[in-house]
Amino acid sequence: MLLLYFFLTCFPIIFLFKLKKSLPPWATEVKLLSLWFGKDVSFSSITKLIKTSSSLSYFTSKMSLKKMSLTSKVDNFEEEVVEEGAAMSILDLPELVLESILERLPPASLCSMAGVCSSLRSRCITDHFWEKHMKNKWGRIIGPVAYREWQWHIALRKNSSHLKQGRPKGFMRIFSIVRPSWWIKPKVDDCSKQSSLPRESIMSWFLALETGRFCFPAQVYNRENGHVGFMLSCYDAELRYDQRTDTFQARYPPHGKRAVAIENNVPWERLRAPPVDTSPHDLHISDCLSELRPGDHIEIQWRRNKEFPYGWWYGVVGHLASCDGNENYCRCHNSDTVVLEFNQYALGSRWRHTTIDRKEHREEGNEGDGFYGGIRKLGSDKEISTWKWLWPAEILE
């Protein structure tokens, strides 16, 4: 009887001692065990693990486990997850947990995870994870025009694949994009033979933009480093991103006898997506003339001569000479003549103001004063505040 009593009292201690030996080396350190104990997971800790061990197909933890009692939950954990000497793979995480982790990774880490194995690659390259990154970083300066250019670029690459093999030349070489394989390097054996990214994927487009391999159309405020001749204007350009400086190179199209103008180190703040789908060589059809009133903020197309492309210039609607500006008696909005003011220029300057016909406005002007084209009314406070932020320090002559 005494022997039986001794056995019953000592067995739990022996059992726990053996259980501790049976757990893998990281079982007393890894905070991921909290998933199985109903605890919260620190995403920053998981992200740190992913960054430091993305070259492996499993986690070797460097975090401490909070004090826990090895109760019956430990038994369930051992039975369901751990075999002696086994390591826990990230793919063993519940699907929703894994998706939540991938959703919060920055682009570079998501690319690194795509290089771990084929299973993670198939998840990490999906548009679901890259739509947010594309919108957050590029959404403000990438518009429908740039998207069409990308689609055209994809079609060009598809067509080129049917041509003879070899290094592309001339026009094809300029628009070809080398697969950004240096961002996604093989980390384990089953990724050693990666196929190229799907051409239509958002990830492929993101990497093409990020690495500067794809030039896209957008518009630049105060072109050519704020040249006095372009103050408070916005011109179309072909842009290429430079990761090293986090700025852009802008190439302005040639016109007349003038060659291509190149501007480097253009910051994000001076860029925008084209607000209307109109070529810089075409007249924009104005649809706001009937509603223009004094005080409205506008942009108007202007070009030096017929060989030049249009740029968009900021101005405001002013009062007729016959009006004293009193709001109670102002009838300027009923007149067929609309006064446009460009207050960045000094009083008396020939660029200070112009007039247009509200009902029959097309392109108006001459070789001396330039040609005024289509008009768009600004309804966004953000657009107006951007122009005011760009306002010159001194009045222009």
Side-chain angles (χ1 to χ4, degrees):
M1 179 65 87
L2 183 61
L3 182 61
L4 178 61
Y5 175 78
F6 176 79
F7 176 78
L8 292 175
T9 55
C10 294
F11 177 76
I13 298 175
I14 297 173
F15 173 76
L16 289 176
F17 179 76
K18 291 181 66 64
L19 174 60
K20 184 177 181 181
K21 283 187 174 182
S22 66
L23 292 174
W26 48 264
T28 59
E29 299 179 9
V30 181
K31 195 173 181 180
L32 288 176
L33 288 179
S34 60
L35 289 171
W36 301 93
F37 287 89
K39 303 289 184 181
D40 293 330
V41 179
S42 169
F43 174 75
S44 61
S45 300
I46 295 176
T47 303
K48 184 176 180 181
L49 277 174
I50 294 173
K51 290 181 179 179
T52 57
S53 61
S54 60
S55 63
L56 302 176
S57 61
Y58 60 88
F59 285 109
T60 301
S61 173
K62 295 183 179 181
M63 296 180 294
S64 299
L65 179 64
K66 294 180 179 179
K67 292 182 180 180
M68 299 180 182
S69 59
L70 296 177
T71 59
S72 59
K73 291 184 178 180
V74 176
D75 299 332
N76 295 334
F77 173 78
E78 182 185 20
E79 293 172 2
E80 297 175 7
V81 181
V82 180
E83 296 179 1
E84 186 172 358
M88 182 178 180
S89 167
I90 188 175
L91 298 176
D92 293 332
L93 294 172
E95 191 66 27
L96 291 178
V97 175
L98 178 57
E99 183 174 337
S100 179
I101 293 173
L102 297 178
E103 280 182 342
R104 302 189 187 192
L105 290 179
S109 297
L110 196 58
C111 286
S112 296
M113 288 295 288
V116 172
C117 64
S118 58
S119 180
L120 283 174
R121 174 183 168 81
S122 64
R123 288 176 169 87
C124 292
I125 68 174
T126 58
D127 290 349
H128 169 71
F129 295 118
W130 287 94
E131 285 176 349
K132 179 184 68 174
H133 295 306
M134 177 64 77
K135 181 179 179 180
N136 289 346
K137 182 163 187 178
W138 297 97
R140 191 179 64 82
I141 63 175
I142 293 292
V145 178
Y147 180 74
R148 282 202 306 270
E149 191 79 8
W150 172 248
Q151 293 298 313
W152 180 84
H153 176 80
I154 292 175
L156 185 65
R157 291 186 66 192
K158 287 182 178 178
N159 292 337
S160 66
S161 64
H162 297 296
L163 301 177
K164 62 181 181 180
Q165 298 296 322
R167 187 177 182 182
K169 297 181 180 180
F171 185 78
M172 295 295 294
R173 183 178 179 183
I174 295 175
F175 286 95
S176 63
I177 293 180
V178 179
R179 179 172 64 92
S181 57
W182 62 273
W183 259 39
I184 308 178
K185 297 181 179 179
K187 303 288 180 65
V188 290
D189 292 340
D190 59 346
C191 281
S192 59
K193 297 181 180 180
Q194 296 188 55
S195 59
S196 60
L197 291 171
R199 293 191 181 104
E200 298 83 358
S201 70
I202 296 179
M203 180 181 181
S204 179
W205 190 15
F206 184 96
L207 296 183
L209 290 167
E210 193 76 13
T211 57
R213 292 188 173 97
F214 174 66
C215 299
F216 62 96
Q219 292 181 347
V220 183
Y221 292 103
N222 293 355
R223 60 176 282 181
E224 299 181 36
N225 297 305
H227 188 284
V228 67
F230 297 104
M231 292 300 292
L232 290 191
S233 69
C234 199
Y235 276 79
D236 287 80
E238 183 184 70
L239 299 177
R240 180 192 299 274
Y241 180 61
D242 185 349
Q243 281 184 309
R244 298 169 300 173
T245 61
D246 192 29
T247 59
F248 295 82
Q249 180 191 79
R251 295 173 59 88
Y252 304 100
H255 46 270
K257 297 180 180 180
R258 185 173 181 179
V260 174
I262 299 177
E263 180 182 355
N264 294 309
N265 301 317
V266 180
W268 289 81
E269 294 78 13
R270 286 177 51 209
L271 303 178
R272 75 175 184 183
V276 294
D277 193 2
T278 304
S279 166
H281 296 280
D282 297 334
L283 178 70
H284 173 67
I285 304 303
S286 308
D287 57 1
C288 62
L289 297 178
S290 61
E291 60 188 65
L292 292 179
R293 306 172 67 95
D296 286 343
H297 299 262
I298 58 97
E299 291 178 12
I300 185 169
Q301 288 178 311
W302 183 86
R303 59 181 173 178
R304 170 67 70 179
N305 57 48
K306 297 288 186 177
E307 295 181 347
F308 277 53
Y310 284 114
W312 289 95
W313 293 74
Y314 172 72
V316 294
V317 179
H319 291 274
L320 296 170
S322 59
C323 178
D324 62 3
N326 189 318
E327 294 182 359
N328 296 324
Y329 301 100
C330 178
R331 295 293 180 269
C332 294
H333 58 280
N334 294 327
S335 173
D336 290 343
T337 300
V338 180
V339 176
L340 302 179
E341 296 182 345
F342 305 95
N343 296 324
Q344 64 268 35
Y345 292 99
L347 289 172
S349 170
R350 63 173 177 164
W351 310 111
R352 173 76 179 198
H353 65 83
T354 189
T355 59
I356 62 170
D357 189 295
R358 190 187 299 269
K359 291 184 177 179
E360 299 181 0
H361 173 65
R362 293 294 182 267
E363 184 180 61
E364 301 178 9
N366 53 62
E367 293 290 337
D369 297 330
F371 295 87
Y372 295 89
I375 298 175
R376 58 181 295 263
K377 179 180 177 180
L378 303 183
S380 166
D381 291 338
K382 187 174 182 180
E383 283 187 300
I384 297 172
S385 63
T386 299
W387 284 114
K388 290 182 177 179
W389 176 72
L390 294 166
W391 199 270
E394 299 179 356
I395 296 298
L396 307 177
E397 295 297 329

